[in-house]
Amino acid sequence: MTYLVNGKRFDAEPDPGQCLRTFLRSLGHFGVKKGCDAGDCGACTVWLDGDPVHSCITPAFRAEGHEVTTIEGLGSPGHLHPMQRQFRDAPGFQCGFCTAGMIMTSTTFTEAQKENLPQALKGNLCRCTGYRGIEDAVQGVVGVETAVPGKAVGTSVGPPAANDVVTGRAEFTMDTDMAGMLHLKVLHSPHAHARIRSIDKTAALAVPGVHRVYTWEDVPRRRFTTAIHTDHLVDPDDTYILDRTVRFVGQRVVAVLADTPGAAEEGCRKVDVEYEVLPAVFDPEEAMTEDSPQLHGSHDPFVRDPVRNILLEIHSHIGNIDAGFAEADVVHEGTYFSPRVQHAHLETHGSIAWMEDGRLHVRTSSQSPSIAKVKLSYLFALRPDQLRVFCKRVGGGFGGKQEVISEDLAALATLDTGRPVCFEFTREEEFTTASPRHPMALTVKLGAKADGTLTAFQVRNVSNTGAYGNHGGETLYAGGAAVMLYRCPNKKYDAFSVYTNTVPSGALRGYGMTQPAFAVESAMDELARALHLDPLELRRRNIVRPGDPLISMEVGPDDVVFTEDGLAKCIDLVDDAMARGADEPSPGPEWLLGAGVASSLHETAPPTEHLSEAWVTLGDDLIYELAVGTVEFGEGTSTAHVQLAAHQLGTTPSRIRLVQSDTDRTGFDTGAFASAGLFVAGNAVLRAANAVRDRILECAAAHTGVHLVMCSMDDGGVVCGDQRVSLAELVASARARGIRFTAARKAYGSPRSVTSNAQGFRIAVHRVTGEIRILYSVQATDAAVIINPAQVRGQVEGGVAQGIGFALTENFHLDENGVMVNPNFRNYRIPGYADIPRTDVLLVDSTDSVGPLRSKGIAECCINPVAPALANALHDATGVRYRALPLTPERIYRRINEKQSVPRA
């Protein structure tokens, strides 16, 4: 069969039933991405005779005799198509995984379609941007700026990989092929709790192309935790690579290795497993009763109370909580529930492993290759020098890739066979086996005097960690920070992380704070109404201020520096913004209008040990090479790191060559999570760049005989008094003296500071259908000194979009047997373009005491106040308090109609 792809003819025969996406990738067109394989996300969009199609649901044979165009055929880095240029210059992407599909769709738009983007972009999803950057790109709005030498910070420079992203040349994890590569697939447990009696591999091994079938008997019997932290002791070692006991529907039972994915899948179907089904428990409150099924036995040293399935419990207090409630004029108490939420990064988890020069190499989609290497070294008894772990560009993470859940099986198979091995999750596996946000039920009890002064603040948090404890303890501790936001002499925090027979929970943007923020900020709104106070005024009277102790769970020393009153400034900015449009008319008589606000405080790095090392070298080509272990997956750290280095070295970002996320080529880096990519790694970059700058200036002073204080960097050399010495001359002079302009520096996540934000919404609620229409969205954030204004705006917009999905649309349905019944984008419903309003992003004028150049990372925290602000606006509109998420139309409709009287519009 003959195919015309990007103007070139191919004679190739697709496999029976093969889709156009996999066929094009087999021809080397890796710009065609896999996000869903169901026609839901649009990441695989290509043109068929000039019309955009989802290639994952287009049979390959239908393209025969037609002209196929992929992103690579639209333009090249040196000759961009106008739409590629617009996406680069907006910028219209963050991680960039969806970008090729977005561009291929957008390039075909008529002017009428550009005026109706909710309809025109309904087939393309983005999890990162919040869609405003994409809209700007489609409309030709330019946001990227050119940096002046030595003044890169504060400028909206574009990402270093922008040209490669918009042309499809940027490599993501699976964008490669290797001779002799085998494919691994996994058989998952159909039972929520069972013991494996026997596994018969015979029929599976007889499938043509199957090489190996791995069971629990074929893997190292070493306990570990899939969670990633520098200090592994904060997470329980309660997991095996493959186990004889399965504890949730979807757990890995058998891994099959074959020549093709199809053969491996058929091998999985042929494995005969005999199970002894055991009693299961899905509700954490029930799991904590003494007669509930036990998931982990008493021999497990990491479980606090195995009889009651408690991984960890926290009991702490300050003051006298009973006395605090006794002196209160008003007491409010309510229980608030936050469900599971999937990360839904468009690039699924995956790893490719191979042997080279006697060493194991693992190319993976991870937020921390350094710690993935540590875990693999432990699991397979490898010396560090026997192993390399690295990342290309990662297609979204949001905490979901702060785990080791694909690397281990790929490494196992390669070490066994000596062959390259690819293990790539399907979208269904992301939903059923990866680690979603912890479901939490929080009971909040508040006491206050008539003037609004808090007298008592009590929280009980029951967190469902699922079948395994990865991140279960740390998110529970993080949740205690929700009571740090307000001053109160009497506080009590009781929390339980509980095992159940459900998919293990993990890290997700907000990390243990998003759920408590929903509960506490909803409760504060209810308390304000009971006190007949404006909700923002109640917050102003009680928020912590510089000089106040940041007390969350107990009194004691900490490493948090709190010097800026950013939270009060955020509240004031949102209050002013909401007032400006308060008289906006209703969409119609059937709509109820409401407004709601919420606030949040977040530490700029995790309390666990966080470390990063950066290397800066001036090469013989006079380009500065910056090597840092931090992974880029849309959080923008690559751009910020380059800007920081360029700023200190008196040059422009174009003269910084970035090497990143490779344990062979960069220093140790704990990982890109908790906004530490800017705060910790950014400080390491700054220190390394400063060290190289100082060495260059010292060399220039000695070379010219001018005093050091008279020397300063410029874009291509050093100005010493009234002389200018080029870098080329300095490099030659230094080389003759055996001097190299290179330096390595480390930074740690201590001391830490805090960042804050406030969110406001005006909404309309349809009194008949329960539909919520967001009329206005605003978030104020304290990012201190702004490294890149466009990136800050984009991170906030993306966080708000994820928060809207968490609050309104995303629903993780489990049936009575613990089976997820909607494991796909079509039924899980992450927000599309039509669901997300433009958010006004307001930046507080402030500085930071410990961040690089007095900046703060804000990508983590901007999601936290979104859900409670929407819930508070919904109550304002309907008079009904909704204490469980998501706020879907059917839930709203039912409660509205239960009321005896409906509030007026």
Side-chain angles (χ1 to χ4, degrees):
M1 301 174 73
T2 301
Y3 291 84
L4 184 65
V5 182
N6 297 332
K8 296 181 180 179
R9 293 194 177 277
F10 292 86
D11 291 323
E13 189 79 22
D15 295 330
Q18 186 174 20
C19 71
L20 183 58
R21 181 189 70 81
T22 58
F23 180 63
L24 289 170
R25 287 179 65 85
S26 73
L27 297 177
H29 301 289
F30 293 115
V32 185
K33 301 293 190 247
K34 182 195 90 169
C36 65
D37 276 339
D40 295 331
C41 75
C44 67
T45 302
V46 300
W47 292 352
L48 202 57
D49 292 336
D51 294 324
V53 299
H54 289 179
S55 60
C56 69
I57 55 173
T58 302
F61 74 86
R62 289 189 179 172
E64 184 188 17
H66 298 275
E67 184 176 359
V68 178
T69 306
T70 73
I71 189 68
E72 295 95 336
L74 194 64
S76 64
H79 298 87
L80 297 179
H81 183 281
M83 188 58 72
Q84 291 173 315
R85 188 177 302 111
Q86 289 172 210
F87 267 78
R88 180 197 66 184
D89 294 344
F93 65 91
Q94 287 181 18
C95 84
F97 196 80
C98 74
T99 305
M102 286 284 182
I103 291 173
M104 295 305 291
T105 299
S106 302
T107 305
T108 65
F109 288 167
T110 64
E111 289 303 315
Q113 286 175 304
K114 290 181 182 179
E115 294 297 320
N116 188 12
L117 289 181
Q119 173 69 22
L121 281 175
K122 67 179 182 179
N124 291 79
L125 295 175
C126 175
R127 191 57 157 170
C128 298
T129 65
Y131 296 101
R132 177 172 174 171
I134 292 169
E135 178 186 330
D136 286 349
V138 173
Q139 305 296 356
V141 177
V142 175
V144 168
E145 300 171 328
T146 301
V148 175
K151 296 184 179 180
V153 167
T155 305
S156 294
V157 302
N163 276 354
D164 288 336
V165 168
V166 300
T167 56
R169 270 76 173 175
E171 280 192 48
F172 290 81
T173 310
M174 294 297 161
D175 294 344
T176 188
D177 198 7
M178 305 182 72
M181 187 156 66
L182 302 176
H183 297 266
L184 189 143
K185 290 290 182 179
V186 169
L187 174 68
H188 301 280
S189 170
H191 304 293
H193 200 190
R195 186 176 295 110
I196 296 171
R197 287 179 171 170
S198 64
I199 300 176
D200 188 348
K201 309 177 183 180
T202 308
L205 289 169
V207 173
V210 169
H211 291 260
R212 297 283 194 278
V213 177
Y214 300 106
T215 73
W216 66 275
E217 296 177 294
D218 304 310
V219 302
R221 296 298 290 169
R222 290 194 169 195
R223 287 177 177 267
F224 75 110
T225 173
T226 62
I228 282 176
H229 291 105
T230 302
D231 181 1
H232 71 94
L233 296 177
V234 302
D235 306 301
D237 289 336
D238 58 4
T239 304
Y240 290 110
I241 296 174
L242 294 170
D243 201 353
R244 188 178 184 183
T245 299
V246 293
R247 296 177 174 87
F248 70 97
V249 174
Q251 182 168 330
R252 307 187 309 199
V253 176
V254 169
V256 176
L257 190 65
D259 289 328
T260 65
E265 289 173 355
E266 180 63 15
C268 288
R269 286 189 284 268
K270 295 294 186 181
V271 175
D272 184 13
V273 183
E274 182 182 357
Y275 298 93
E276 175 191 352
V277 179
L278 302 173
V281 59
F282 307 114
D283 178 76
E285 292 284 4
E286 181 184 345
M288 285 193 290
T289 60
E290 293 190 0
D291 57 351
S292 65
Q294 292 182 26
L295 273 72
H296 297 270
S298 57
H299 64 278
D300 190 336
F302 300 97
V303 181
R304 177 70 58 87
D305 186 344
V307 174
R308 296 192 298 142
N309 293 305
I310 296 175
L311 165 66
L312 176 72
E313 56 184 301
I314 301 169
H315 302 286
S316 61
H317 72 278
I318 60 168
N320 186 322
I321 198 72
D322 294 330
F325 283 119
E327 66 174 304
D329 295 314
V330 173
V331 174
H332 164 75
E333 183 173 6
T335 299
Y336 306 83
F337 177 72
S338 298
R340 287 178 184 82
V341 176
Q342 234 292 322
H343 307 78
H345 34 71
L346 290 195
E347 181 199 42
T348 61
H349 284 84
S351 299
I352 298 172
W354 69 94
M355 300 299 297
E356 184 178 328
D357 298 328
R359 301 174 71 221
L360 175 65
H361 294 248
V362 180
R363 168 172 167 154
T364 185
S365 182
S366 171
Q367 289 177 233
S368 177
S370 293
I371 296 182
K373 175 179 177 175
V374 171
K375 288 184 181 291
L376 293 177
S377 296
Y378 160 74
L379 286 171
F380 299 108
L382 299 173
R383 298 190 314 270
D385 63 304
Q386 294 177 299
L387 174 62
R388 172 199 182 198
V389 179
F390 70 102
C391 299
K392 292 295 187 176
R393 195 171 180 90
V394 173
F398 316 113
K401 294 172 182 175
Q402 196 186 335
E403 306 268 353
V404 173
I405 58 176
S406 64
E407 297 86 352
D408 54 346
L409 285 177
L412 168 77
T414 288
L415 290 169
D416 177 38
T417 65
R419 299 269 299 272
V421 171
C422 172
F423 177 31
E424 182 179 18
F425 278 36
T426 65
R427 179 54 57 187
E428 181 172 338
E429 285 173 323
E430 286 293 328
F431 280 109
T432 59
T433 71
S435 303
R437 190 187 298 282
H438 291 75
M440 289 185 183
L442 292 106
T443 300
V444 180
K445 186 177 181 181
L446 301 173
K449 294 183 178 179
D451 65 358
T453 304
L454 289 177
T455 61
F457 194 158
Q458 183 173 2
V459 175
R460 180 179 186 269
N461 183 358
V462 178
S463 174
N464 187 344
T465 196
Y468 298 94
N470 43 308
H471 296 285
E474 286 304 286
T475 52
L476 203 67
Y477 275 109
V483 302
M484 178 176 70
L485 183 61
Y486 298 105
R487 285 178 283 109
C488 184
N490 307 295
K491 294 182 179 181
K492 193 171 191 295
Y493 182 68
D494 298 292
F496 306 85
S497 181
V498 186
Y499 286 115
T500 65
N501 293 112
T502 57
V503 59
S505 303
L508 207 165
R509 194 179 205 163
Y511 198 78
M513 266 293 293
T514 313
Q515 308 94 311
F518 168 65
V520 168
E521 290 299 286
S522 295
M524 285 293 287
D525 194 81
E526 293 193 67
L527 178 64
R529 294 177 185 277
L531 290 165
H532 305 290
L533 285 175
D534 175 81
L536 280 179
E537 182 57 31
L538 179 64
R539 287 169 171 81
R540 285 191 183 97
R541 295 182 187 184
N542 290 284
I543 57 172
V544 293
R545 306 269 184 168
D548 293 336
L550 284 171
I551 298 174
S552 56
M553 294 182 287
E554 56 191 18
V555 178
D558 60 42
D559 63 346
V560 178
V561 179
F562 182 38
T563 59
E564 291 290 326
D565 199 7
L567 182 55
K569 295 176 182 177
C570 287
I571 289 173
D572 289 344
L573 285 174
V574 167
D575 195 9
D576 291 344
M578 294 286 285
R580 284 195 293 271
D583 56 352
E584 185 172 333
S586 170
E590 69 277 15
W591 294 87
L592 309 170
L593 298 182
V597 295
S599 50
S600 176
L601 199 68
H602 203 100
E603 293 160 350
T604 54
T608 51
E609 184 179 353
H610 208 105
L611 166 67
S612 183
E613 183 175 8
W615 306 337
V616 173
T617 301
L618 177 60
D620 290 342
D621 58 358
L622 307 183
I623 297 295
Y624 296 97
E625 182 172 278
L626 167 61
V628 61
T630 307
V631 179
E632 175 60 61
F633 54 91
E635 78 284 20
T637 53
S638 295
T639 316
H641 291 166
V642 168
Q643 286 181 262
L644 289 167
H647 187 87
Q648 295 306 102
L649 292 165
T651 188
T652 61
S654 63
R655 296 192 59 244
I656 306 292
R657 179 171 54 241
L658 183 63
V659 176
Q660 60 188 147
S661 53
D662 186 332
T663 60
D664 270 10
R665 302 181 63 195
T666 62
F668 184 90
D669 186 274
T670 295
F673 54 86
S675 293
L678 177 68
F679 175 62
V680 183
N683 268 326
V685 168
L686 200 66
R687 292 169 187 174
N690 284 344
V692 169
R693 178 200 62 195
D694 292 346
R695 193 165 298 177
I696 292 172
L697 292 175
E698 290 166 2
C699 185
H703 183 73
T704 61
V706 176
H707 197 282
L708 180 61
V709 297
M710 301 295 291
C711 299
S712 62
M713 302 285 297
D714 74 6
D715 194 24
V718 179
V719 177
C720 296
D722 57 0
Q723 305 177 54
R724 183 183 185 278
V725 187
S726 71
L727 286 180
E729 183 178 345
L730 285 175
V731 168
S733 173
R735 187 187 298 117
R737 298 159 56 195
I739 297 173
R740 293 181 64 224
F741 296 132
T742 184
R745 292 293 185 270
K746 297 177 181 178
Y748 299 85
S750 180
R752 303 172 292 147
S753 57
V754 295
T755 187
S756 48
N757 44 18
Q759 174 73 41
F761 285 109
R762 283 198 304 275
I763 67 171
V765 184
H766 198 283
R767 64 173 70 232
V768 176
T769 66
E771 174 193 350
I772 290 180
R773 183 177 296 177
I774 298 174
L775 305 177
Y776 180 63
S777 169
V778 58
Q779 183 167 131
T781 188
D782 174 19
V785 172
I786 306 298
I787 303 295
N788 188 306
Q791 283 198 166
V792 169
R793 188 194 75 176
Q795 290 299 318
V796 173
E797 289 165 349
V800 172
Q802 279 192 309
I804 290 171
F806 171 52
L808 301 185
T809 66
E810 299 179 42
N811 213 345
F812 200 107
H813 286 289
L814 294 181
D815 68 11
E816 65 276 7
N817 298 312
V819 179
M820 187 187 185
V821 298
N822 60 326
N824 52 64
F825 282 148
R826 189 163 303 182
N827 296 315
Y828 176 76
R829 275 274 285 128
I830 69 171
Y833 177 92
D835 301 305
I836 302 301
R838 289 176 76 94
T839 293
D840 277 353
V841 178
L842 309 177
L843 303 178
V844 166
D845 182 14
S846 70
T847 63
D848 189 58
S849 55
V850 293
L853 295 184
R854 299 186 174 273
S855 66
K856 297 179 184 180
I858 48 83
E860 181 87 19
C861 60
C862 49
I863 191 175
N864 292 337
V866 176
L870 277 169
N872 293 339
L874 180 60
H875 177 264
D876 187 50
T878 64
V880 179
R881 173 56 63 173
Y882 296 81
R883 294 177 177 166
L885 300 176
L887 306 172
T888 54
E890 61 271 20
R891 291 181 176 181
I892 295 169
Y893 166 80
R894 184 168 58 250
R895 292 283 306 282
I896 290 177
N897 283 272
E898 286 174 357
K899 291 194 63 175
Q900 294 297 317
S901 60
V902 179
R904 62 182 177 84

